[in-house]
Amino acid sequence: MRVHCCAVCRTDLHVVDEELAHPSLPLIPGHQIVGIVEKIGGRAVSFAVGDRVGVPWLGWTDGECRYCLSGRENLCENARFTGYQINGGYAEFALADARFCFPIPEGFPDLQAAPLLCAGLIGHRSLRFAGDAERLGLYGFGASAHIVAQVAAYEGRRIFAFTSPHDEEAQEFARELGAEWAGSSEEAPPEELDAVIIFAPVGALVPAALRVVARGGTVVCAGIHMSDIPSFPYEILWGERSVRSVANLTRQDGLDFLALAPEVPVRTEIVPFPLEEANQALDALRGGRVRGAAVLVAAVAGA
Ligand SMILES: [Zn+2]
Ligand SMILES: [Zn+2]
């Protein structure tokens, strides 16, 4: 495919910073690719030359392990991931297995569509694990949270956003997207929450989140990597509170979310960078200076 753009994910930073084990080196990062099919090989029949496709993080599964056979291909023992074990989208051209690509819904320009492919998808999977929580907390208001907030508001949930202390810009952004309260992760929200999703890669937020969820509440860790979680007293977990992680995506998650996004409709906010400035984009993400999602633009963006 000819790459039009590729959104930047925090996972790319974890890969580049060598926080994830066993990347295939040398490696082209990037797993939120939007482009046009240039050439089709083998038995790929689901797309035609000229189609606009999206390539997500899950790049290949074996289809035969106990996870794949039970509808949990996101946990496949032999899974390979785009921009990690498979060359990704920080490039002008990319090769992808058509079985793991998605058609991009009409009405989303390329740059606005790209962040749907991981920030949106993983955010949506995380939101599902929050169950029917009415009062939803989001820790870390970046690419994923800014999409989840829109879906959560559409579903009638109440949103409470937590950011780094003194990050008033992110708090304002959260309020614009429907959060009824936004504050520092060191503050207590005005009332107990029913579920919390942690997007920031900060283990200390796990006990902090457990202290603000009500009995029966869930703390969902959405990232692939986190700093160590400090020990905490059992009493903040007691009361049937739970902590769980979210790993990767299934193709069904992708189809479900890409059908839902135009219904909401999700409006992604993006900060474009030319492909040559990939390192600057990663630095901006690392420094928390991106409002919404950074997107690398490889060529003249199409429709
Ligand atoms: Zn498998
Ligand atoms: Zn990602």
Side-chain angles (χ1 to χ4, degrees):
M1 59 192 286
R2 179 183 293 274
V3 176
H4 278 177
C5 61
C6 183
V8 178
C9 176
R10 181 163 289 280
T11 298
D12 302 341
L13 264 186
H14 295 313
V15 170
V16 170
D17 292 344
E18 299 180 82
E19 286 166 331
L20 303 181
H22 312 304
S24 296
L25 297 175
L27 174 69
I28 301 170
H31 57 268
Q32 308 184 79
I33 316 171
V34 175
I36 298 290
V37 177
E38 281 266 319
K39 210 169 171 185
I40 295 175
R43 286 164 294 163
V45 291
S46 44
F47 293 100
V49 170
D51 281 357
R52 188 167 74 136
V53 294
V55 183
W57 170 244
L58 185 71
W60 187 85
T61 57
D62 60 19
E64 55 192 27
C65 71
R66 60 189 298 128
Y67 300 105
C68 285
L69 294 175
S70 57
R72 297 178 293 163
E73 65 182 359
N74 60 308
L75 303 179
C76 175
E77 290 163 345
N78 297 304
R80 301 178 70 216
F81 299 100
T82 312
Y84 185 29
Q85 284 101 14
I86 301 170
N87 278 327
Y90 288 21
E92 293 164 288
F93 291 90
L95 186 63
D97 186 326
R99 295 171 300 173
F100 294 86
C101 297
F102 301 117
I104 300 290
E106 282 176 37
F108 283 92
D110 294 344
L111 276 68
Q112 278 71 24
L116 300 177
L117 292 164
C118 185
L121 280 182
I122 300 285
H124 188 241
R125 190 173 171 88
S126 307
L127 183 56
R128 249 188 24 235
F129 287 132
D132 55 7
E134 185 207 347
R135 298 167 299 181
L136 177 71
L138 302 174
Y139 280 76
F141 208 84
S144 211
H146 102 284
I147 296 174
V148 168
Q150 296 176 54
V151 176
Y154 168 79
E155 292 174 341
R157 304 177 195 250
R158 297 167 59 200
I159 301 152
F160 300 76
F162 299 80
T163 71
S164 312
H166 313 300
D167 191 350
E168 269 106 35
E169 250 173 82
Q171 291 165 16
E172 183 51 41
F173 186 35
R175 281 186 215 100
E176 282 169 33
L177 290 174
E180 70 174 63
W181 178 90
S184 152
S185 55
E186 291 169 0
E187 282 175 69
E191 55 189 286
E192 285 187 316
L193 306 180
D194 302 307
V196 157
I197 305 174
I198 302 178
F199 294 106
V202 181
L205 292 176
V206 173
L210 279 169
R211 290 178 196 279
V212 303
V213 293
R215 292 177 194 176
T218 305
V219 174
V220 181
C221 303
I224 192 169
H225 174 82
M226 221 184 212
S227 54
D228 286 354
I229 300 170
S231 74
F232 53 82
Y234 177 60
E235 71 176 276
I236 65 174
L237 178 63
W238 193 76
E240 302 196 340
R241 294 173 180 86
S242 56
V243 177
R244 71 165 303 153
S245 65
V246 169
N248 314 317
L249 67 139
T250 64
R251 282 173 279 184
Q252 193 59 48
D253 291 332
L255 297 172
D256 292 348
F257 178 67
L258 292 173
L260 173 66
E263 299 281 311
V264 172
V266 171
R267 292 279 174 254
T268 53
E269 191 143 331
I270 57 113
V271 181
F273 288 83
L275 175 59
E276 306 80 67
E277 291 178 17
N279 286 315
Q280 285 89 325
L282 287 168
D283 278 347
L285 180 59
R286 185 183 278 115
R289 298 189 303 275
V290 178
R291 181 184 154 103
V295 180
L296 299 180
V297 184
V300 179

